[in-house]
């Protein structure tokens, strides 16, 4: 009888131990899920015919007049060294006169122009992509930054809509940080929805704080980082 009682107690203790271990593992998984949760902000711009979501830790920045003339309508920084930029260029249908598709001509132009515009330009990747249900191409390349020391890496995704409008999505950061940050850009691309542009302005659910407004990026028309300055007092 005593042995049966001891066996019974041992079984109860094992059950309690297994239950406690399972509960502990569940708590760890739940904690990891909560810690990895990132709030997303929706950006909708009917005038540019686009809508997408981006992580809340991206900070929208002001766009200079030169960049606006080049068609840039959205810009955000992931930190002081990484930049996300989106621009739209219209009236590209005339490129078909050179033969081939508009997309093919854009790719050939980039292949010809970028080695001249980016110091120490080196193409790392070129492949076809689908973004917002539209065909395009993706190019990744490295170049030497303006400090003449830092190696930068950029991913540029180009798609053509209605055979006349080109969307250019770029993300750039120091090459050493690029692998850990580019996944955020890839996730943003997955959320893109394209519509027919209509001139009614745009809505943005992310209120620009004084800290964001004073983040200043100087870039050229192709989105090359020239300088960064933060004058925020907050």
């Amino acid at each position: 009888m005593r042995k049966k009682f001891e066996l019974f107690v041992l079984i109860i203790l094992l059950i309690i131990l297994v239950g406690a271990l399972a509960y502990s593992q569940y708590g760890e998984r739940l904690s990891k899920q909560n810690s990895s949760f990132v709030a997303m902000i929706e950006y909708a711009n009917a005038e540019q015919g686009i809508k997408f979501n981006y992580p809340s830790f991206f900070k929208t920045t002001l766009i200079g007049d030169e960049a606006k003339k080049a068609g840039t309508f959205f810009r955000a920084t992931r930190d002081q060294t990484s930049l996300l930029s989106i621009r739209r260029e219209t009236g590209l249908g005339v490129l078909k006169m050179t033969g081939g598709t508009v997309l093919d001509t854009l790719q050939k132009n980039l292949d010809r122009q970028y080695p001249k515009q980016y110091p120490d330009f080196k193409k790392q990747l070129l492949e076809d992509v689908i973004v917002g249900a539209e065909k395009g191409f993706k190019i990744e390349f490295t170049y030497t930054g303006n400090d003449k020391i830092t190696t930068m890496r950029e991913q540029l995704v180009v798609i053509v809509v209605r055979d006349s409008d080109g969307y250019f999505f770029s993300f750039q950061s120091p090459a050493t940080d690029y692998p850990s940050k580019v996944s955020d850009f890839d996730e943003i691309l997955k959320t893109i929805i394209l519509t027919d542009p209509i001139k009614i302005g745009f809505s943005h659910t992310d209120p620009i704080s004084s800290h964001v407004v004073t983040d200043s990026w100087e870039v050229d028309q192709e989105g090359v980082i020239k300088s960064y300055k933060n004058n925020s007092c907050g």
Side-chain angles (χ1 to χ4, degrees):
M1 180 67 70
R2 181 182 179 84
K3 290 184 179 180
K4 290 183 179 180
F5 177 75
E6 291 176 349
L7 180 60
F8 175 76
V9 171
L10 181 59
I11 292 175
I12 295 298
L13 289 175
L14 286 174
I15 292 175
I16 294 174
L17 180 61
V18 171
L21 180 61
Y23 181 79
S24 176
Q25 292 177 343
Y26 170 77
E28 289 179 3
R29 289 197 301 269
L30 186 61
S31 177
K32 289 181 180 179
Q33 290 175 355
N34 290 336
S35 63
S36 62
F37 173 77
V38 176
M40 302 296 288
I41 296 173
E42 181 183 89
Y43 175 88
N45 190 327
E47 188 172 2
Q48 298 295 345
I50 192 171
K51 180 170 68 173
F52 59 88
N53 298 327
Y54 65 93
S56 57
F57 52 76
F58 274 76
K59 297 178 181 179
T60 55
T61 65
L62 296 178
I63 301 172
D65 292 337
E66 184 178 354
K68 287 181 179 179
K69 290 180 182 179
T72 301
F73 59 87
F74 181 86
R75 180 171 290 159
T77 60
R78 191 187 188 281
D79 49 39
Q80 294 188 0
T81 58
S82 301
L83 177 67
L84 164 66
S85 182
I86 305 175
R87 67 184 180 92
R88 171 174 163 247
E89 190 173 340
T90 60
L92 298 178
V94 295
L95 296 179
K96 291 187 293 185
M97 298 176 61
T98 62
T101 66
V102 173
L103 199 62
D104 290 338
T105 303
L106 287 174
Q107 183 178 319
K108 291 177 181 177
N109 288 344
L110 292 181
D111 286 340
R112 184 176 65 256
Q113 296 172 4
Y114 273 28
K116 300 177 182 179
Q117 296 177 359
Y118 291 83
D120 303 316
F121 173 90
K122 292 182 180 179
K123 185 189 297 183
Q124 304 293 329
L125 174 70
L126 176 64
E127 63 182 20
D128 295 333
V129 295
I130 300 292
V131 174
E134 300 289 345
K135 292 182 179 180
F137 66 86
K138 173 176 71 175
I139 180 175
E140 288 189 16
F141 58 92
T142 58
Y143 63 95
T144 301
N146 293 310
D147 60 3
K148 298 182 180 180
I149 298 175
T150 305
T151 299
M152 303 292 292
R153 182 159 182 147
E154 178 173 346
Q155 178 180 151
L156 174 68
V157 174
V158 181
I159 60 173
V160 175
V161 182
R162 294 172 293 276
D163 221 19
S164 63
D165 290 2
Y167 288 88
F168 301 79
F169 308 88
S170 71
F171 178 81
Q172 54 190 285
S173 72
T176 53
D177 300 333
Y178 183 87
S180 62
K181 296 178 179 179
V182 71
S183 60
D184 296 322
F185 179 58
D186 293 335
E187 291 302 315
I188 292 172
L189 293 177
K190 293 178 182 178
T191 70
I192 288 175
I193 298 176
L194 299 171
T195 59
D196 291 333
I198 52 178
K199 295 184 178 181
I200 60 173
F202 71 92
S203 63
H204 187 189
T205 60
D206 180 26
I208 301 179
S209 66
S210 60
H211 173 76
V212 172
V213 169
T214 54
D215 282 349
S216 175
W217 286 82
E218 181 187 353
V219 299
D220 64 14
Q221 290 188 5
E222 299 299 332
V224 179
I225 296 176
K226 295 299 183 184
S227 66
Y228 170 84
K229 181 168 59 177
N230 187 321
N231 298 317
S232 174
C233 297

